[in-house]
Amino acid sequence: MPGDFVDFGDFVQATLPGLLRYGHALTGNPHDAADLVQTVLEKIGSRWTYVHEKTGDPLAYVRRSMANAHVSRWRRTRRENLVADLPDTRPHVPADPFEHEPLWRALRTLPPRQRAVMVLRYYEGLSEAEIAGALGITQGTVKSQASKAIASLRMKLKSADEGEGSGAG
């Protein structure tokens, strides 16, 4: 169990695959996920003794830190950046294998907190209490965010299905 690790290296080795999956679902691509996980683990590593002894559940603390860091990064980067000249060429970006998956596209459009709740609930399989602890919110907030996210996903997937059906006729 991740809470049983005294050594930070053992903790990272045991939880890294799950943290990368969680980061990928939060950010939408594996490269940003790796950056997010690295940034959070770097900060946690320097305070590991405190995190391990005081939080009770280091994995939940790391997940909450990842969600908070992702939201902070999203807030910083969503602003417009004005530049004097447009770049001459576009860099080659490999295609995301999930780019055309309707559920994945709909998940990307959710607000960060709703996406985090959905990922922790349905991708990581956590309970409402565990999600609330990991994100530092109440169980009621978890339920309302999940409900809003599910309603939004249903509406987006329904409109995507209707769009495909009308184009085939």
Side-chain angles (χ1 to χ4, degrees):
M1 194 72 204
D4 298 334
F5 292 107
V6 176
D7 183 51
F8 180 67
D10 292 340
F11 172 80
V12 171
Q13 188 174 14
T15 61
L16 187 61
L19 292 175
L20 287 170
R21 285 191 310 269
Y22 175 55
H24 185 222
L26 277 177
T27 62
N29 74 61
H31 305 294
D32 288 342
D35 290 344
L36 179 65
V37 170
Q38 180 179 352
T39 301
V40 169
L41 288 179
E42 184 178 301
K43 290 178 183 176
I44 302 261
S46 63
R47 303 176 6 176
W48 176 247
T49 304
Y50 168 80
V51 170
H52 183 263
E53 292 175 1
K54 303 290 182 189
T55 62
D57 187 1
L59 183 58
Y61 186 87
V62 170
R63 285 183 175 142
R64 180 177 177 186
S65 297
M66 287 175 63
N68 290 342
H70 174 63
V71 169
S72 294
R73 183 181 295 168
W74 176 78
R75 285 182 179 150
R76 272 194 319 269
T77 59
R78 72 182 170 119
R79 295 188 181 108
E80 289 182 324
N81 293 322
L82 301 177
V83 294
D85 297 320
L86 294 175
D88 291 337
T89 61
R90 294 181 184 218
H92 172 15
V93 179
D96 184 356
F98 296 111
E99 184 66 32
H100 301 293
E101 288 289 326
L103 181 60
W104 192 253
R105 285 193 315 221
L107 186 65
R108 283 188 196 149
T109 65
L110 293 176
R113 184 182 282 178
Q114 288 180 14
R115 181 191 285 191
V117 167
M118 296 303 289
V119 168
L120 288 174
R121 179 69 183 117
Y122 297 103
Y123 196 74
E124 291 293 326
L126 298 183
S127 69
E128 290 171 353
E130 291 170 323
I131 295 169
L135 298 179
I137 56 179
T138 66
Q139 286 187 27
T141 303
V142 170
K143 290 177 185 179
S144 69
Q145 292 294 302
S147 176
K148 289 176 186 176
I150 289 171
S152 177
L153 290 173
R154 280 185 183 143
M155 188 170 56
K156 289 174 183 169
L157 292 174
K158 182 179 177 185
S159 64
D161 284 344
E162 289 172 357
E164 285 180 9
S166 65

